[in-house]
Amino acid sequence: MIVSIPTISASLRERTALLAANPTAVNERMYETLMSLEGYENLMPSVRQDIAASIDLTAGLWFQSLLTGRPPSADDMDRFREFGRRRVHQRVPLQSVLRAFRLGSREIWRTYIALGEDDGSLVDELLFVISPYLFDFFDVMAQSIAQSYLEEQYQQARWREALRHQLYNIVFYTPDDHDGFRETVEALGLDSTAPRVALAIDIELPEHTSYERERELDRIALASARHLAAAPGDLVRAWHRGRLILWAPCLRGDSINRIDRLTAERAGALAAAVPELHRIGVGLMNEGASGWAATVDEAIRALDFTPKSQGQSQVAMYSSILIEESARLASNARRYLVSLLEQLANEPELVATLQTYFEQGQRRGQSAAALGIHPNTLNYRMERIEALLGASLDDVGWIEKLDIALKLRRAPT
């Protein structure tokens, strides 16, 4: 609450009344100063008009309080706080809003200094009466608008959290609800028709309260947005099957292959920059509710299908396991491939030898050394494998089949 409104002299009252009756000049100077601030410079015309209206109201309340000796009314303060709430949705940073008040008060003070230059009798009154009240007035108003801004920001966060939860349910449980998906995505301020790619992240989170956990996930999502070249508000997050899920926007009309390669690079940079992220699975670009679910499923499969013990990159791409996935999902193909290794099951050293052979890039010398056996022993085992399977390990087709069979053997069911 604004207190200690000073009683001003008749001379200053007369000049203040003139300013209040025609505040255009001071308001325009305030407006021009604000439009150069960070957070204000690229606003839409409708938002600029709203800011001009807030300047008119603030300056008017200042002049009114001096002339009447009364603080702004409850209705006036409600109107004033509404501007603070709107700044949240207009995406003007709170820091910029508060700086605008400091600079606005400076412009009003300059106007009063000019009055003192014209009339020396006002100097003491301006310095010792008006300036303390000016600082008090704008400090209280700034606190009021900051409070309304933060309250609205909190309500918006809760509202967005509710929308995210609703979106999660649609994507994973009712993906045929196309209208619900569109309405929910657009309520979040996003384009429901734009394609997205999912990242599934194995993440280490210390024991936290629910609130602290959400804050930590928000922090990681913010860092992820920078590395994924997405605006923070354009990155959608969820917690699904024990993993942090991020849906990153893709450029409409771009190819799946290019998006896949670009996302792989960005995910690699993200994994290197954020130590809490252990591994990242990347799905393929898709769209719509069912597409959002499909790319998440692919990202999780990429993590599950790529063994952790291989010491490979922290990023697992679904595009790298497409052939294995096709075989795994086609029951007849899977049974055939599994049967190849079953034929070697009575001689376990043959399976171990074949596994090592592929791990060593099909180099026999390195494979023998890794197994700790003589190269002739390795050759014997390889010939035995070929004999049991009717295969040729020089044949590309057989190499592909056996490689996939071994990957299917390691992969979780």
Side-chain angles (χ1 to χ4, degrees):
M1 178 65 65
I2 298 173
V3 294
S4 303
I5 302 175
T7 300
I8 59 177
S9 65
S11 176
L12 186 58
R13 176 180 299 278
E14 180 181 353
R15 290 171 178 259
T16 298
L18 291 173
L19 288 173
N22 185 21
T24 302
V26 64
N27 288 354
E28 285 181 351
R29 287 201 305 273
M30 292 169 66
Y31 178 83
E32 289 174 4
T33 300
L34 265 58
M35 288 305 106
S36 64
L37 286 177
E38 181 179 356
Y40 282 80
E41 66 271 39
N42 296 317
L43 297 175
M44 295 185 298
S46 59
V47 179
R48 289 172 175 260
Q49 291 176 5
D50 191 59
I51 289 171
S54 72
I55 291 172
D56 290 344
L57 176 63
T58 306
L61 294 177
W62 157 259
F63 292 131
Q64 176 183 299
S65 70
L66 273 184
L67 292 172
T68 64
R70 295 192 300 270
S73 68
D75 288 343
D76 286 335
M77 290 304 295
D78 283 343
R79 288 175 57 208
F80 177 75
R81 293 188 189 98
E82 184 59 32
F83 286 113
R85 288 188 280 271
R86 289 206 289 270
R87 294 297 174 267
V88 175
H89 304 284
Q90 293 161 351
R91 298 189 178 185
V92 180
L94 179 57
Q95 182 179 0
S96 298
V97 173
L98 296 179
R99 186 151 188 259
F101 270 87
R102 291 195 297 273
L103 296 180
S105 65
R106 187 181 69 183
E107 291 303 323
I108 286 183
W109 177 239
R110 284 176 174 173
T111 300
Y112 274 91
I113 288 295
L115 296 181
E117 291 175 352
D118 292 340
D119 186 345
S121 64
L122 295 177
V123 171
D124 286 348
E125 185 177 9
L126 292 173
L127 288 176
F128 300 111
V129 177
I130 298 304
S131 66
Y133 176 57
L134 180 78
F135 296 142
D136 180 50
F137 178 91
F138 279 93
D139 181 58
V140 170
M141 299 298 275
Q143 290 180 35
S144 179
I145 208 165
Q147 182 179 357
S148 64
Y149 186 104
L150 292 172
E151 288 172 353
E152 186 68 15
Q153 197 173 52
Y154 174 72
Q155 291 298 327
Q156 185 188 51
R158 294 190 63 182
W159 172 72
R160 288 183 67 84
E161 181 60 31
L163 285 177
R164 283 208 308 261
H165 183 70
Q166 180 176 320
L167 179 61
Y168 175 90
N169 286 328
I170 293 173
V171 168
F172 292 111
Y173 300 112
T174 59
D176 292 332
D177 183 5
H178 304 298
D179 289 341
F181 173 79
R182 176 182 53 77
E183 291 170 2
T184 305
V185 172
E186 291 179 359
L188 286 166
L190 305 172
D191 184 352
S192 62
T193 65
R196 288 183 176 261
V197 59
L199 289 79
I201 303 174
D202 281 334
I203 184 172
E204 180 180 355
L205 285 177
E207 291 296 327
H208 281 316
T209 65
S210 177
Y211 173 73
E212 289 170 334
R213 181 172 176 271
E214 287 301 307
R215 286 191 61 184
E216 182 67 6
L217 291 175
D218 282 339
R219 181 188 68 80
I220 292 170
L222 183 62
S224 300
R226 290 195 298 270
H227 289 282
L228 296 173
D234 289 339
L235 200 65
V236 182
R237 75 167 174 85
W239 188 261
H240 182 64
R241 289 167 53 184
R243 269 125 177 183
L244 172 63
I245 304 299
L246 300 176
W247 283 284
C250 304
L251 184 63
R252 194 190 305 276
D254 216 340
S255 70
I256 294 179
N257 178 54
R258 184 180 180 281
I259 290 296
D260 192 59
R261 289 186 286 111
L262 192 60
T263 306
E265 294 174 4
R266 291 171 174 171
L270 172 61
V274 182
E276 295 91 343
L277 309 188
H278 291 173
R279 299 170 73 237
I280 302 175
V282 179
L284 297 176
M285 180 177 70
N286 216 320
E287 59 188 69
S290 58
W292 284 39
T295 185
V296 169
D297 185 59
E298 292 164 355
I300 291 175
R301 287 180 186 277
L303 283 178
D304 290 342
F305 207 84
T306 305
K308 299 179 183 179
S309 59
Q310 283 188 328
Q312 296 178 345
S313 168
Q314 288 178 277
V315 179
M317 305 299 296
Y318 183 77
S319 58
S320 298
I321 61 166
L322 277 173
I323 298 176
E324 298 97 302
E325 274 286 274
S326 299
R328 192 185 70 81
L329 296 174
S331 58
N332 284 343
R334 179 180 176 82
R335 285 190 297 108
Y336 167 75
L337 292 168
V338 168
S339 73
L340 295 178
L341 298 185
E342 288 176 347
Q343 294 177 67
L344 307 178
N346 291 331
E347 301 179 50
E349 72 277 6
L350 297 184
V351 177
T353 298
L354 191 62
Q355 179 74 57
T356 302
Y357 179 64
F358 279 97
E359 289 176 353
Q360 299 299 321
Q362 302 162 48
R363 296 180 178 87
R364 296 204 176 199
Q366 290 182 206
S367 299
L371 289 165
I373 60 177
H374 194 278
N376 289 341
T377 303
L378 179 79
N379 290 336
Y380 168 77
R381 291 183 183 180
M382 301 300 281
E383 291 170 3
R384 179 67 176 157
I385 291 170
E386 289 179 326
L388 287 173
L389 299 180
S392 170
L393 292 176
D394 293 325
D395 183 281
V396 174
W398 271 105
I399 292 294
E400 289 180 349
K401 286 188 286 187
L402 291 172
D403 184 37
I404 294 171
L406 288 166
K407 290 177 178 176
L408 289 172
R409 176 174 175 267
R410 295 194 304 266
T413 56

